[in-house]
Amino acid sequence: MPTNTHSRRVRTAIRQRAAAVVLAATGSVLAAAPQPAHAAIPAQSIADPVHYWNDVLQNVFRRVGGGPVPMARAAAMMNAAIYDAESSYQLKWKGRMTSEAYIHAANYSGWLEGPDEEERVIGRTAYNILLNLYGNQQTGTTYQDQTTYLDSRFTERFGTKPTDFDLVDVSVVGTMVKQMTDARSGDGSVNPQVYSPDDKPGAWRATSYPDMVDAKCDEDSDAINPFWGQVKPFSLTSGSQFRPTTLTQYGTYENLLASDEYKRQVDAVRRAGADQPTAATPTVTRTPDQLAAAWFWANDNDGTYKPPGQMLQATREVSKARGLGVYANARLFALVSLALADTGIAVRDAKFATPMDLWRPVSAIREGGLDPHWKPLLKNNDGVNVNPCFPAYVSGHASFGAAWAGVMKRYFGSDNISFDLTTDEPRATIKTRHFTSFSAAAKEDADSRIWLGVHFPWDATDGLALGDKIAGQVFSTKLRTL
């Protein structure tokens, strides 16, 4: 085998001879210019490249804010592209792939494998996917240009600029980036339509009350991602494939609100999810541990990594504890991200595309005449009691949590695995919680929405069922073991 020094010299000569190569157009920065030998990868506190780039992604989530479902789409695009890039590397230099690609693994032309090629294949793929998603102001979103941040994290990792020429851009990265961006082009994720709900009791409406003024949910048209249920899924046949039916069995809002079960649902969240006791609701039944769990799982406000980021963090923490390698991590993170993305689509279908777009508990309690001063525990960064700006049914947190748990238990072959998870929610008083199964973590995530006062119990229960069905679909149809 050639020495590392010799390998780098050979690659340098190849890059210099290839400097005139015109790179395939990918809409990303894959500029060609002769460069000296590629710098050694600096020592990093995050050694695994899949972990590193998911850390970058989580920080982008914190920086750009917005709704969780576009974040889940971004995670799926990046991690599925990483997996296909890593599969291409495994096929080229190790002579095998253990699982099928998401789109396609390139049998690329390589001249000599070096000690850092796997890193560069993954890193340059991830960087360019993220640059396409977040590098420029995008129509219909609040994304700010994150190019400077992405460039800094690339240089931190590699010691070079992302615009420096690298042969892997020509041989494999350009293909990975292009096939993913082409696959998601025109997928319906940009939709300029304005949402207008039904004007009747039971139907969702903006929850900015005089004593709960929330500038982000002041009008019904402020609803976040109302048409995302129409987005092309990553593995489902449609966003409605596993659509839950608990509410539709009532037929009309009038029948729903008149039912005994609805009244039980309202009473449960009224007592467990109140911010403070009131004259009409003198007792809050939430325990101290439930209060801690409620804030542990919150991650609703901009500045946090939101629910998809928390699930990626959970994946990383379990992966590190289990000692997974790069290839295994690439597959695991891709499976989790695909499930999260399709869950985001399916949840928005359930919230907005069914006959009933259920109002939030605060509307049910106040406008139902039960307690005009009731407020949910959930607050924004200014300490104002708020609700997520979209219908209640089904819970996104519950669905995301169950999708994550469903992939994890199928991937590891068991649900009964113990682990610790952390949170970046600033209001959380307990930053680490211990769980004895993936399902237990998902269940606590789902229940936390009741304790925060923003969901009914059936939002959580049906969200858990929805997420697990999607996990099963993803695991049985995508990235299957060869």
Side-chain angles (χ1 to χ4, degrees), residues 307-320:
Q310 190 165 28
M311 294 299 95
L312 295 175
Q313 178 67 17
T315 306
R316 174 177 159 189
E317 287 164 348
V318 174
S319 162
K320 289 183 69 175

Side-chain angles (χ1 to χ4, degrees), residues 69-70 73 184 187-191 193 195 223-234 236-243 341-354 357 390-391 393 466 470:
V69 288
R73 174 182 180 267
R184 300 312 302 179
D187 65 359
S189 56
V190 177
N191 190 324
Q193 291 178 265
Y195 173 70
I224 299 173
N225 304 127
F227 302 103
W228 202 270
Q230 302 171 17
V231 171
K232 181 178 77 173
F234 287 77
L236 302 182
T237 57
S238 70
S240 62
Q241 181 176 350
F242 298 119
R243 179 184 286 176
D342 275 1
T343 297
I345 294 169
V347 165
R348 279 309 192 270
D349 172 81
K351 287 182 181 294
F352 289 102
T354 62
D357 300 354
F390 35 81
Y393 185 83
L466 175 62
I470 293 170

Side-chain angles (χ1 to χ4, degrees), residues 384-459:
V384 176
N385 303 82
V386 295
N387 292 269
C389 200
F390 35 81
Y393 185 83
V394 292
S395 165
H397 274 71
S399 304
F400 282 132
W404 172 81
V407 169
M408 298 296 280
K409 67 185 181 184
R410 290 172 173 87
Y411 183 93
F412 289 105
S414 174
D415 188 27
N416 299 318
I417 294 176
S418 296
F419 52 90
D420 292 332
L421 298 183
T422 61
T423 183
D424 77 344
E425 168 57 53
R427 292 182 181 270
T429 56
I430 297 175
K431 299 293 187 180
T432 301
R433 292 182 70 83
H434 180 75
F435 300 94
T436 57
S437 71
F438 299 120
S439 295
K443 179 66 163 56
E444 185 177 271
D445 189 2
D447 289 343
S448 74
R449 309 307 288 171
I450 302 166
W451 304 327
L452 284 167
V454 295
H455 276 289
F456 304 97
W458 53 25
D459 303 342

Side-chain angles (χ1 to χ4, degrees), residues 214-254:
D214 181 7
K216 292 186 177 180
C217 199
D218 190 50
E219 302 289 342
D220 294 342
S221 59
D222 292 332
I224 299 173
N225 304 127
F227 302 103
W228 202 270
Q230 302 171 17
V231 171
K232 181 178 77 173
F234 287 77
S235 66
L236 302 182
T237 57
S238 70
S240 62
Q241 181 176 350
F242 298 119
R243 179 184 286 176
T245 59
T246 294
L247 298 190
T248 55
Q249 67 181 321
Y250 292 97
T252 66
Y253 285 110
E254 292 79 8

